[in-house]
Amino acid sequence: MKNIDKILESVIANTKDGVMITSLDIIPDRGPVVVYINEAFSQITGYSSEDMVGGSPRILYGSKTDKNELNRLWQAMENRESCEMELIYYTKYGSEYWAQTLVYAAQDNIGNYSHFVGIIKDITARKKHEMENERLIKDLTGKIKDLRQFTYITSHNLRSPLTNLLGLVSLTEGIEIEDETLRTIHASFKTTAESLIETVDDLMEILDTKEDQDIKIEEIVVSDVLNYIQDQLISLTHDTRPIIICDFEEAPVINFHKVYFDSIISNLFTNAIKYRSPVRRLHINVATCIVDNQVVLTFEDNGIGLDVERHKNRIFGFYQKFHDNPDSKGLGLYLVKSQMEKLGGTVAIESKLNEGTKLILTFTRQ
């Protein structure tokens, strides 16, 4: 037993954590009496054994020491319960530091409480890092909020004059323009205005995806949405006449936000049509299945594909383009990913150049 006691003494003396042992009795307005501190305690606080032994632990407290936490500590000590907290203490020389503190009532050989043991660890560097992170997050949150407000205002203010400009151009379409240069300028005005309006609308859609907090989840019949989207894209599919094969037998419904799901399917169809192969008829396969209690939707085409390995870090990026298609805006996959992740889903891509592309969308089952 004596050997064990010596080992314990050696551990306490050599640990890097500060150790303080006090009497069990708590004197009003003073606290317990310090009977021992180890060397690490002296190094952390600046107080020697001569300073501390016979005195009160309250010498460590100062103006920034949390009074509520101290009251919790005194209550725990009166009840002989352990207590852990993070407090600001002060060194002998007046400088403050953060300490992780554990206090518990120790028992003697026959099980009676005999002393309080306090263990402190200097966590000043960690707390400063945490507070700096909190400050940066607060600043960044404020800047993001300001940027969103600026984007909303700018988008709104831009759209109105652009719409007016487009309306004025439309009013002049019936007027015959003999000069070829003026005809070209007139056509460019209309194309440019339409393009700018589309860009503003794209930005607003992205902001709506990021900001929408009141998202209604509902049961969606997948086949109904596909039929609806095909009707909406009839002008695109009329010329391309894609062969579309669907299989929703295993998972005919998906729990998701209806507007988001419509947007996702629309973007997938539009991309398949835009990036179809010029040498073969477009084939699209859409299917759903259950994998690990989740609904997985696959959307596969035989289009021109892309080099996934080469572009893997920016495939779902904002305004990222991988082909020279003049109709490409580089926005579809970005929106698909944003809308899926907004509701806890995922999206992955498999593709090979000149062979086709497969999107795998995983929806959580509500």
Side-chain angles (χ1 to χ4, degrees), residues 168 233 236 339:
L168 291 172
L233 300 177
L236 292 176
Q339 290 163 337

Side-chain angles (χ1 to χ4, degrees), residues 119-136:
I119 301 173
I120 66 170
K121 180 192 294 289
D122 189 339
I123 57 169
T124 304
R126 193 197 83 195
K127 292 297 290 188
K128 285 183 177 179
H129 183 68
E130 289 176 357
M131 288 187 286
E132 178 63 15
N133 284 344
E134 289 176 3
R135 185 190 67 78
L136 290 173

Side-chain angles (χ1 to χ4, degrees), residues 18 40 61 118 124 132 149 190 203 211 231 265 277 287 295 365:
Y61 309 156
T124 304
E132 178 63 15
Q149 289 294 329
K190 183 178 181 181
L203 289 172
E211 287 291 311
D231 289 341
I265 298 302
S277 171
V295 179
R365 297 182 77 181

Side-chain angles (χ1 to χ4, degrees), residues 77-179:
M77 292 173 71
E78 288 179 1
N79 296 331
R80 305 297 189 256
E81 298 171 347
S82 63
C83 185
E84 189 170 359
M85 65 195 69
E86 294 179 356
L87 289 171
I88 292 179
Y89 288 150
Y90 291 80
T91 68
K92 181 178 181 178
Y93 311 104
S95 58
E96 63 183 53
Y97 62 96
W98 277 94
Q100 185 178 50
T101 304
L102 171 64
V103 178
Y104 65 92
Q107 295 174 305
D108 59 21
N109 293 335
I110 59 175
N112 293 323
Y113 291 112
S114 60
H115 295 84
F116 286 115
V117 177
I119 301 173
I120 66 170
K121 180 192 294 289
D122 189 339
I123 57 169
T124 304
R126 193 197 83 195
K127 292 297 290 188
K128 285 183 177 179
H129 183 68
E130 289 176 357
M131 288 187 286
E132 178 63 15
N133 284 344
E134 289 176 3
R135 185 190 67 78
L136 290 173
I137 291 171
K138 185 177 179 180
D139 289 347
L140 184 59
T141 301
K143 289 177 181 177
I144 290 173
K145 184 178 179 180
D146 291 343
L147 182 59
R148 283 174 176 164
Q149 289 294 329
F150 172 78
T151 307
Y152 273 120
I153 294 169
T154 303
S155 299
H156 180 271
N157 291 345
L158 276 175
R159 202 184 196 288
S160 181
L162 285 172
T163 303
N164 291 337
L165 176 62
L166 189 59
L168 291 172
V169 172
S170 298
L171 289 174
T172 62
E173 286 185 338
I175 301 175
E176 185 176 348
I177 302 174
E178 296 182 359
D179 187 277

Side-chain angles (χ1 to χ4, degrees), residues 233-242:
L233 300 177
I234 190 67
S235 61
L236 292 176
T237 58
H238 178 73
D239 295 329
T240 57
R241 297 179 297 108

Side-chain angles (χ1 to χ4, degrees), residues 54 81 128 213 249 269 310:
E81 298 171 347
K128 285 183 177 179
Q213 300 298 322
E249 184 176 353
F269 264 108
R310 178 184 176 186

Side-chain angles (χ1 to χ4, degrees), residues 279-290:
V279 297
R280 56 181 176 269
R281 187 175 178 182
L282 175 61
H283 285 243
I284 297 174
N285 292 284
V286 191
T288 56
C289 62
I290 306 297

Side-chain angles (χ1 to χ4, degrees), residues 297-314:
L297 183 148
T298 56
F299 191 101
E300 188 170 7
D301 65 58
N302 65 338
I304 58 177
L306 58 89
D307 188 337
V308 173
E309 185 61 29
R310 178 184 176 186
H311 303 297
K312 61 182 178 181
N313 293 326
R314 60 188 189 95

